[in-house]
Amino acid sequence: MTIVVTVLTVAVIVLTVLVAGLLRSHAVILRRLHDLGGDVDMDGAPGADAAPTPPPATDDLDLPQPPTVSEGRVAADLSGVGPRGEARAIRVAGTPHDTILVFLSSGCTTCHRFWDDLRAAGGDDDDPRVVVVSRGADAESRTAIADIAPRELTVVMSSEAWTAYEVPGSPYVVHVDGPSGRVRGEGTGPTWQQVQRMLRQGAGDLDARRAGHRTASADAQREEDVDRVLLAAGIEPGDASLYTRADGTTVTRTT
Amino acid sequence: MTKAGLVKLAAHGLAVSLPPGWEGTITAEQEALVAAQSLAFAASAAPPETMPVAQFATFALPAVRDDFGGTAVERMGRDDVFISLVEYAAEEASSALFSARGLPRRLDARAFSPHMLQRRIPGHTGLQRFFNHGGRAFCLYLVLGDADDAHRLTRRAEQVLATIVVDDAP
């Protein structure tokens, strides 16, 4: 009899400790949720038989979306006139290629070095594409630009572009990321080569940051794929099969 | 820029509203030539007529291009479309070649053929239509980047053709 009483006493003590521990951890969880703004009523504790929150309806699913590139301001497409009088519209956002916008004037001394360098480069590459932007005919001589601009260079005269890109003066260079339609880097320098080096360095840093974005994006994509497969199989959020283990036991739902 | 990403271009009696993904130019390539000749001959002779050329594309147009897309179409991808609207001398408008009336807005994808290309590139297909519009003579030339996807790319081209406005001859 003494042995039984002793065993029961020990069992009661152990159970008391366990219950106290559970209550404590539960209190900690509730406090954390409260701090996070969770929808838990700390004062009016819900009854044990309170109805659980229903699973969201399929139509309300908020599936994860691919993250957008947050860095860089939104780039503006260009429209204006060419130095030979042509009307011109140039896409820089939403294109598969990047675009380097080189804001130049016909008069500034440093700009002349850029014009010479660009003429020597002679390229009309399509990735990255180089586009020279001068002020519009309201603030720049079309004849002067036509004289100085090599024919093989894409040139657009647009004061609106200078305003849109908040160009502080010339020369000034802006690198637009085509696929995201955002400015990737910008700045100025004494020569075209030096500015190119600066842009390449900036682009390299950004690529490294984007590698991290892509990992998160891959996780989100994987989750979205799983959701899609489950929905296609008729398994909606809250479906009992989602809470059943392979051995037939059930998992407590968390809402 | 206008609403919904449309870009409006207007020059030489031609206007267009380019939908997103398109760029273009409207030029009169002989302008520089006319200016040079006027200087050389002191305007003693009537200057040659300037012939507008409008080009629209879903890819980056190089600075120097032929009227029918030479040096540009080489850059096309399979999803790309190139449109060139080349004007001819007004007196041609009444000739048999330009007897069709009005800018074609709807196109039959089956009418495209690699044989109509000015520059044959594997995978490309093209279409050429001569017509008169408001007393002016034009050639509409299109290149699609993927002959096997002509129906979809034709619809893409029609989005631009629907917005082109051609002024009457002065």
Side-chain angles (χ1 to χ4, degrees), chain A residues 154-165:
Chain A
T154 301
V155 180
V156 61
M157 303 179 68
S158 170
S159 294
E160 291 80 10
W162 282 57
T163 303
Y165 285 93

Side-chain angles (χ1 to χ4, degrees), chain A residues 77-80 84-97 124-126 129 142 150-155, chain B residues 1 5-12 18-27 29 31-32 60-65 75:
Chain A
D77 291 324
L78 309 173
S79 63
R84 291 163 188 88
E86 64 272 32
R88 177 159 267 174
I90 295 172
R91 292 283 177 189
V92 299
T95 62
H97 58 268
D124 193 12
D125 295 334
D126 50 4
R129 181 189 197 185
R142 212 179 86 182
R151 280 190 73 86
E152 61 274 12
L153 199 61
T154 301
V155 180
Chain B
M1 294 289 291
L6 293 176
V7 176
K8 285 193 173 181
L9 276 182
H12 307 295
L18 293 172
W22 286 81
E23 69 172 61
T25 66
I26 303 175
T27 183
E29 283 298 331
E31 270 191 341
L61 287 168
V64 179
R65 308 169 304 277
R75 300 181 174 202

Side-chain angles (χ1 to χ4, degrees), chain B residues 17-94:
Chain B
S17 295
L18 293 172
W22 286 81
E23 69 172 61
T25 66
I26 303 175
T27 183
E29 283 298 331
Q30 294 183 20
E31 270 191 341
L33 178 65
V34 170
Q37 286 182 342
S38 298
L39 283 173
F41 297 104
S44 59
E49 199 172 353
T50 58
M51 290 296 127
V53 177
Q55 294 181 327
F56 315 115
T58 57
F59 56 97
L61 287 168
V64 179
R65 308 169 304 277
D66 297 337
D67 288 350
F68 292 92
T71 74
V73 292
E74 293 87 340
R75 300 181 174 202
M76 290 178 71
R78 293 172 63 91
D79 202 36
D80 285 325
V81 178
F82 172 80
I83 300 174
S84 187
L85 188 59
V86 182
E87 183 164 9
Y88 289 78
E91 50 267 31
E92 299 284 346
S94 55

Side-chain angles (χ1 to χ4, degrees), chain B residues 92-108:
Chain B
E92 299 284 346
S94 55
S95 69
L97 179 62
F98 296 92
S99 59
R101 290 176 63 88
L103 169 70
R105 311 277 184 185
R106 300 299 304 270
L107 304 170
D108 184 351

Side-chain angles (χ1 to χ4, degrees), chain A residues 21 43 49 56-57 62 87 127 134 139 147 164 172 191 202 209 217 225 236:
Chain A
D43 301 321
D49 58 348
D62 187 17
D127 196 11
S134 78
D147 285 344
Y172 197 72
T191 65
R209 287 205 301 280
S217 175
D225 291 343
E236 298 184 352

